[in-house]
Amino acid sequence: MKNIAVIGAGTMGNGIAHTFAQFGYKTNLIDVSEKSLERGMNTISGNLDRMLAKEKISEDDKNNTLSNITTFTELSKGVKNVDLVVEAATENVDLKLSIFKQLDELCSKDTVLASNTSSISITKIASVVSNPERVIGMHFMNPVPVMKLVEIIRGYNTSDAITSSIMDLSKKLKKEPVEVNDYPGFVANRILMPMINESIETLYNGVAGVQEIDTVMKLGMAHPMGPLQLADFIGLDVCLSILEVMYNGFKNPKYAPCPLLVNMVQAGKLGVKSGEGFYDYSESRKAEKISRQFTS
């Protein structure tokens, strides 16, 4: 595989494009919004500058990475003659099904179709593709250029050959691929999201405050980031979406989203991306100031 297309220029999409481009792959970054593409490229450039400042890469490395990325607003042009498409659009099943229907028509039958979904069934996504054996999950972790793990999710029909090739490709990106089967939430989020949800329940029930909950988990469990801070970092809307997928998939009440999480998403308090979640990010992206609603 030499030519890669990444659909979606948001946090995950631009991180995935950055990573492929940094390792020499010609990468097409696709988004319907020109502004999103501009923001995505600015993010990639900024992240490369930080790596350059830390002497992890050279000036040539930065320039080569940026030159390996081409942006597109038209899906048909962006996926033309690529070996692999990685879909990193919003975590919405209808949107993903629509994208994969189009990919089935636009791409060659040999093109591998991957989704960066964090919870949605790969088997369901593959059901709209004429040859579902080429559909697979590549669940990167955020921030993509830094985090080593890639969950490789086999759909019901994903072939051994495709799985092997994507495992090998991930290793070429200096990632650690882990193969998992296709059940709601896979492994990472099936374990992580109930913990985050229970942390929100703990706050909702008045057991402890935001900072206290995060401090217990950081100091007591050696987590680098408290669960409420992590939820803000992921995006509360994303957390809610994943929990809803698992709740609907398993019909088990233990995955039911906490009412506080639901209300915060409805109120637009999504975490870092909106400037406020459990913490207030109006002055800093660091979780230093508790949101006003949790301070009284």
Side-chain angles (χ1 to χ4, degrees), residues 103-112 129-131 133-134:
L103 293 176
D104 190 43
E105 297 171 358
L106 295 170
C107 297
S108 118
K109 298 304 178 185
D110 296 324
T111 303
V112 179
V129 175
S130 57
N131 49 339
E133 65 274 5
R134 63 170 168 160

Side-chain angles (χ1 to χ4, degrees), residues 260-274:
L260 174 58
L261 174 60
V262 175
N263 282 345
M264 290 179 71
V265 171
Q266 291 176 341
K269 309 294 186 182
L270 308 180
V272 176
K273 70 173 78 173
S274 70

